[in-house]
Short mmCIF file of all heavy atoms in Angstrom, two decimals:
data_model
loop_
_atom_site.label_atom_id
_atom_site.label_comp_id
_atom_site.label_asym_id
_atom_site.label_seq_id
_atom_site.Cartn_x
_atom_site.Cartn_y
_atom_site.Cartn_z
N GLU C 276 13.65 -10.08 -4.76
CA GLU C 276 13.60 -11.45 -5.27
C GLU C 276 14.89 -11.79 -6.03
O GLU C 276 15.35 -11.03 -6.88
CB GLU C 276 12.39 -11.62 -6.20
CG GLU C 276 12.18 -13.05 -6.64
CD GLU C 276 10.94 -13.23 -7.49
OE1 GLU C 276 10.17 -12.25 -7.63
OE2 GLU C 276 10.75 -14.33 -8.03
N GLY C 277 15.47 -12.92 -5.70
CA GLY C 277 16.70 -13.37 -6.34
C GLY C 277 17.97 -12.86 -5.69
O GLY C 277 19.07 -13.19 -6.14
N TYR C 278 17.82 -12.08 -4.60
CA TYR C 278 18.98 -11.51 -3.92
C TYR C 278 18.94 -11.85 -2.44
O TYR C 278 17.88 -12.05 -1.86
CB TYR C 278 19.02 -9.98 -4.08
CG TYR C 278 19.32 -9.53 -5.48
CD1 TYR C 278 18.32 -9.53 -6.46
CD2 TYR C 278 20.59 -9.12 -5.85
CE1 TYR C 278 18.59 -9.12 -7.75
CE2 TYR C 278 20.87 -8.71 -7.14
CZ TYR C 278 19.86 -8.71 -8.09
OH TYR C 278 20.13 -8.31 -9.38
N LYS C 279 20.14 -11.88 -1.84
CA LYS C 279 20.21 -12.12 -0.41
C LYS C 279 19.70 -10.89 0.34
O LYS C 279 19.98 -9.75 -0.08
CB LYS C 279 21.66 -12.43 0.01
CG LYS C 279 22.22 -13.70 -0.58
CD LYS C 279 23.66 -13.93 -0.15
CE LYS C 279 24.22 -15.22 -0.75
NZ LYS C 279 25.61 -15.46 -0.34
N PRO C 280 18.94 -11.07 1.42
CA PRO C 280 18.44 -9.91 2.16
C PRO C 280 19.57 -9.13 2.82
O PRO C 280 20.55 -9.71 3.30
CB PRO C 280 17.49 -10.52 3.19
CG PRO C 280 17.95 -11.94 3.34
CD PRO C 280 18.50 -12.35 2.01
N TRP C 281 19.43 -7.82 2.83
CA TRP C 281 20.36 -6.93 3.52
C TRP C 281 19.73 -6.55 4.85
O TRP C 281 18.54 -6.17 4.91
CB TRP C 281 20.62 -5.70 2.67
CG TRP C 281 21.54 -4.67 3.28
CD1 TRP C 281 22.87 -4.56 3.08
CD2 TRP C 281 21.18 -3.62 4.19
NE1 TRP C 281 23.38 -3.49 3.79
CE2 TRP C 281 22.35 -2.89 4.50
CE3 TRP C 281 19.98 -3.22 4.78
CZ2 TRP C 281 22.36 -1.81 5.35
CZ3 TRP C 281 19.99 -2.13 5.64
CH2 TRP C 281 21.17 -1.43 5.91
N ARG C 282 20.49 -6.62 5.93
CA ARG C 282 19.92 -6.38 7.25
C ARG C 282 20.92 -5.61 8.11
O ARG C 282 22.11 -5.92 8.11
CB ARG C 282 19.57 -7.70 7.92
CG ARG C 282 18.81 -7.56 9.25
CD ARG C 282 18.58 -8.91 9.89
NE ARG C 282 17.75 -9.79 9.08
CZ ARG C 282 18.22 -10.85 8.41
NH1 ARG C 282 19.51 -11.15 8.46
NH2 ARG C 282 17.42 -11.60 7.69
N LYS C 283 20.42 -4.61 8.83
CA LYS C 283 21.28 -3.86 9.73
C LYS C 283 20.43 -3.24 10.84
O LYS C 283 19.31 -2.78 10.60
CB LYS C 283 22.03 -2.77 8.99
CG LYS C 283 22.99 -1.97 9.88
CD LYS C 283 23.82 -1.00 9.07
CE LYS C 283 24.92 -1.69 8.30
NZ LYS C 283 25.87 -0.75 7.69
N THR C 284 20.95 -3.25 12.07
CA THR C 284 20.28 -2.62 13.20
C THR C 284 20.84 -1.22 13.38
O THR C 284 22.05 -1.03 13.51
CB THR C 284 20.48 -3.44 14.49
OG1 THR C 284 19.91 -4.74 14.29
CG2 THR C 284 19.77 -2.78 15.66
N LEU C 285 19.95 -0.23 13.36
CA LEU C 285 20.34 1.17 13.42
C LEU C 285 19.74 1.85 14.64
O LEU C 285 18.63 1.53 15.05
CB LEU C 285 19.86 1.91 12.16
CG LEU C 285 20.34 1.35 10.83
CD1 LEU C 285 19.56 1.96 9.70
CD2 LEU C 285 21.82 1.60 10.65
N LYS C 286 20.49 2.78 15.20
CA LYS C 286 20.00 3.54 16.35
C LYS C 286 19.49 4.89 15.87
O LYS C 286 20.21 5.67 15.25
CB LYS C 286 21.13 3.73 17.37
CG LYS C 286 20.67 4.41 18.65
CD LYS C 286 21.80 4.53 19.66
CE LYS C 286 21.34 5.18 20.96
NZ LYS C 286 22.42 5.29 21.95
N VAL C 287 18.22 5.16 16.16
CA VAL C 287 17.61 6.44 15.81
C VAL C 287 17.71 7.38 17.00
O VAL C 287 17.35 7.02 18.13
CB VAL C 287 16.13 6.25 15.39
CG1 VAL C 287 15.46 7.60 15.20
CG2 VAL C 287 16.05 5.44 14.11
N LYS C 288 18.22 8.60 16.74
CA LYS C 288 18.38 9.60 17.78
C LYS C 288 17.39 10.76 17.54
O LYS C 288 16.97 10.99 16.40
CB LYS C 288 19.80 10.13 17.81
CG LYS C 288 20.84 9.06 18.11
CD LYS C 288 22.25 9.65 18.10
CE LYS C 288 23.29 8.58 18.41
NZ LYS C 288 24.66 9.14 18.42
N PRO C 289 17.03 11.49 18.59
CA PRO C 289 16.09 12.61 18.43
C PRO C 289 16.60 13.67 17.47
O PRO C 289 17.77 14.06 17.54
CB PRO C 289 15.97 13.17 19.86
CG PRO C 289 16.41 12.07 20.75
CD PRO C 289 17.43 11.30 19.99
N GLN C 290 15.71 14.11 16.58
CA GLN C 290 16.00 15.20 15.65
C GLN C 290 17.15 14.92 14.69
O GLN C 290 17.72 15.84 14.11
CB GLN C 290 16.28 16.51 16.42
CG GLN C 290 15.11 17.03 17.22
CD GLN C 290 15.45 18.32 17.92
OE1 GLN C 290 16.11 18.34 18.95
NE2 GLN C 290 14.98 19.43 17.37
N ILE C 291 17.50 13.66 14.51
CA ILE C 291 18.59 13.28 13.60
C ILE C 291 18.08 12.23 12.62
O ILE C 291 17.38 11.29 13.00
CB ILE C 291 19.80 12.73 14.38
CG1 ILE C 291 20.42 13.83 15.24
CG2 ILE C 291 20.85 12.14 13.43
CD1 ILE C 291 21.58 13.37 16.10
N VAL C 292 18.44 12.41 11.35
CA VAL C 292 18.13 11.41 10.33
C VAL C 292 19.35 10.53 10.13
O VAL C 292 20.42 11.02 9.74
CB VAL C 292 17.72 12.09 9.00
CG1 VAL C 292 17.53 11.03 7.91
CG2 VAL C 292 16.44 12.88 9.17
N THR C 293 19.21 9.26 10.43
CA THR C 293 20.29 8.30 10.23
C THR C 293 20.28 7.85 8.77
O THR C 293 19.27 7.36 8.27
CB THR C 293 20.10 7.08 11.14
OG1 THR C 293 20.09 7.51 12.50
CG2 THR C 293 21.23 6.08 10.95
N GLU C 294 21.41 8.05 8.07
CA GLU C 294 21.48 7.73 6.65
C GLU C 294 22.13 6.39 6.42
O GLU C 294 23.16 6.07 7.02
CB GLU C 294 22.26 8.81 5.90
CG GLU C 294 21.57 10.15 5.82
CD GLU C 294 22.35 11.13 4.96
OE1 GLU C 294 23.58 10.96 4.84
OE2 GLU C 294 21.74 12.04 4.40
N ILE C 295 21.55 5.59 5.55
CA ILE C 295 22.20 4.37 5.04
C ILE C 295 22.12 4.43 3.52
O ILE C 295 21.07 4.24 2.93
CB ILE C 295 21.57 3.08 5.60
CG1 ILE C 295 20.04 3.15 5.58
CG2 ILE C 295 22.06 2.77 6.97
CD1 ILE C 295 19.38 1.85 5.98
N LYS C 296 23.27 4.74 2.91
CA LYS C 296 23.33 4.94 1.47
C LYS C 296 24.13 3.82 0.80
O LYS C 296 24.85 3.08 1.44
CB LYS C 296 23.97 6.29 1.14
CG LYS C 296 23.17 7.49 1.61
CD LYS C 296 23.90 8.77 1.20
CE LYS C 296 23.12 10.00 1.59
NZ LYS C 296 23.82 11.24 1.18
N ASN C 297 23.99 3.79 -0.53
CA ASN C 297 24.82 2.91 -1.36
C ASN C 297 24.75 1.45 -0.93
O ASN C 297 25.75 0.74 -0.91
CB ASN C 297 26.28 3.39 -1.34
CG ASN C 297 26.41 4.86 -1.66
OD1 ASN C 297 26.00 5.30 -2.72
ND2 ASN C 297 26.95 5.61 -0.73
N ILE C 298 23.55 1.00 -0.58
CA ILE C 298 23.36 -0.41 -0.21
C ILE C 298 23.49 -1.27 -1.46
O ILE C 298 22.90 -0.98 -2.50
CB ILE C 298 21.98 -0.62 0.43
CG1 ILE C 298 21.87 0.19 1.73
CG2 ILE C 298 21.72 -2.09 0.71
CD1 ILE C 298 20.48 0.22 2.31
N ILE C 299 24.28 -2.33 -1.37
CA ILE C 299 24.45 -3.27 -2.47
C ILE C 299 23.84 -4.60 -2.08
O ILE C 299 24.15 -5.14 -1.01
CB ILE C 299 25.94 -3.45 -2.83
CG1 ILE C 299 26.50 -2.15 -3.43
CG2 ILE C 299 26.13 -4.59 -3.82
CD1 ILE C 299 27.95 -2.23 -3.82
N LEU C 300 22.97 -5.12 -2.92
CA LEU C 300 22.37 -6.43 -2.70
C LEU C 300 23.15 -7.47 -3.49
O LEU C 300 23.50 -7.26 -4.66
CB LEU C 300 20.90 -6.43 -3.13
CG LEU C 300 20.00 -5.41 -2.42
CD1 LEU C 300 18.57 -5.53 -2.94
CD2 LEU C 300 20.02 -5.60 -0.92
N ILE C 301 23.42 -8.61 -2.87
CA ILE C 301 24.21 -9.67 -3.47
C ILE C 301 23.28 -10.76 -4.01
O ILE C 301 22.39 -11.22 -3.28
CB ILE C 301 25.18 -10.29 -2.45
CG1 ILE C 301 26.03 -9.19 -1.80
CG2 ILE C 301 26.06 -11.35 -3.10
CD1 ILE C 301 26.89 -8.44 -2.76
N PRO C 302 23.44 -11.19 -5.27
CA PRO C 302 22.60 -12.27 -5.81
C PRO C 302 22.74 -13.55 -4.98
O PRO C 302 23.82 -13.84 -4.46
CB PRO C 302 23.15 -12.46 -7.23
CG PRO C 302 23.82 -11.17 -7.56
CD PRO C 302 24.38 -10.66 -6.27
N LYS C 303 21.65 -14.29 -4.87
CA LYS C 303 21.69 -15.55 -4.13
C LYS C 303 22.58 -16.56 -4.84
O LYS C 303 23.33 -17.30 -4.20
CB LYS C 303 20.28 -16.11 -3.98
CG LYS C 303 19.40 -15.33 -3.01
CD LYS C 303 18.03 -15.96 -2.88
CE LYS C 303 17.17 -15.21 -1.87
NZ LYS C 303 15.81 -15.80 -1.76
N ASP C 304 22.48 -16.62 -6.14
CA ASP C 304 23.29 -17.55 -6.94
C ASP C 304 24.25 -16.76 -7.80
O ASP C 304 23.86 -16.16 -8.80
CB ASP C 304 22.40 -18.44 -7.81
CG ASP C 304 21.46 -19.30 -6.98
OD1 ASP C 304 21.91 -19.84 -5.96
OD2 ASP C 304 20.28 -19.44 -7.37
N ILE C 305 25.52 -16.72 -7.38
CA ILE C 305 26.54 -16.01 -8.14
C ILE C 305 27.13 -16.95 -9.17
O ILE C 305 27.70 -17.99 -8.83
CB ILE C 305 27.64 -15.47 -7.21
CG1 ILE C 305 27.03 -14.48 -6.20
CG2 ILE C 305 28.74 -14.78 -8.01
CD1 ILE C 305 28.02 -13.96 -5.20
N GLN C 306 26.96 -16.60 -10.44
CA GLN C 306 27.46 -17.44 -11.52
C GLN C 306 28.92 -17.12 -11.81
O GLN C 306 29.30 -15.96 -11.95
CB GLN C 306 26.62 -17.23 -12.79
CG GLN C 306 25.14 -17.55 -12.61
CD GLN C 306 24.89 -19.02 -12.31
OE1 GLN C 306 25.59 -19.90 -12.83
NE2 GLN C 306 23.91 -19.29 -11.46
N THR C 307 29.75 -18.13 -11.86
CA THR C 307 31.17 -17.96 -12.21
C THR C 307 31.50 -18.84 -13.41
O THR C 307 30.83 -19.84 -13.68
CB THR C 307 32.09 -18.36 -11.04
OG1 THR C 307 31.88 -19.74 -10.72
CG2 THR C 307 31.80 -17.50 -9.83
N LYS C 308 32.52 -18.43 -14.15
CA LYS C 308 32.95 -19.24 -15.28
C LYS C 308 34.48 -19.30 -15.29
O LYS C 308 35.15 -18.32 -14.95
CB LYS C 308 32.42 -18.68 -16.60
CG LYS C 308 32.86 -17.25 -16.91
CD LYS C 308 32.27 -16.76 -18.21
CE LYS C 308 32.70 -15.32 -18.50
NZ LYS C 308 32.11 -14.82 -19.76
#
């Protein structure tokens, strides 16, 4: 809630764990001054 959704299409292979680390979510409303 309050962040833009993160989305990615990944290919799963036999006997292998596909890792997606260090995901950063971006706020929907970025405040600047």
Side-chain angles (χ1 to χ4, degrees):
E276 187 177 353
Y278 291 79
K279 296 179 180 180
W281 178 95
R282 186 184 298 107
K283 182 174 285 190
T284 299
L285 303 167
K286 185 178 181 180
V287 173
K288 298 179 180 180
Q290 296 181 282
I291 294 177
V292 175
T293 301
E294 291 185 334
I295 44 174
K296 295 181 178 181
N297 309 301
I298 298 171
I299 292 180
L300 302 180
I301 307 298
K303 289 182 178 179
D304 298 318
I305 299 177
Q306 301 296 324
T307 61
K308 60 182 179 181

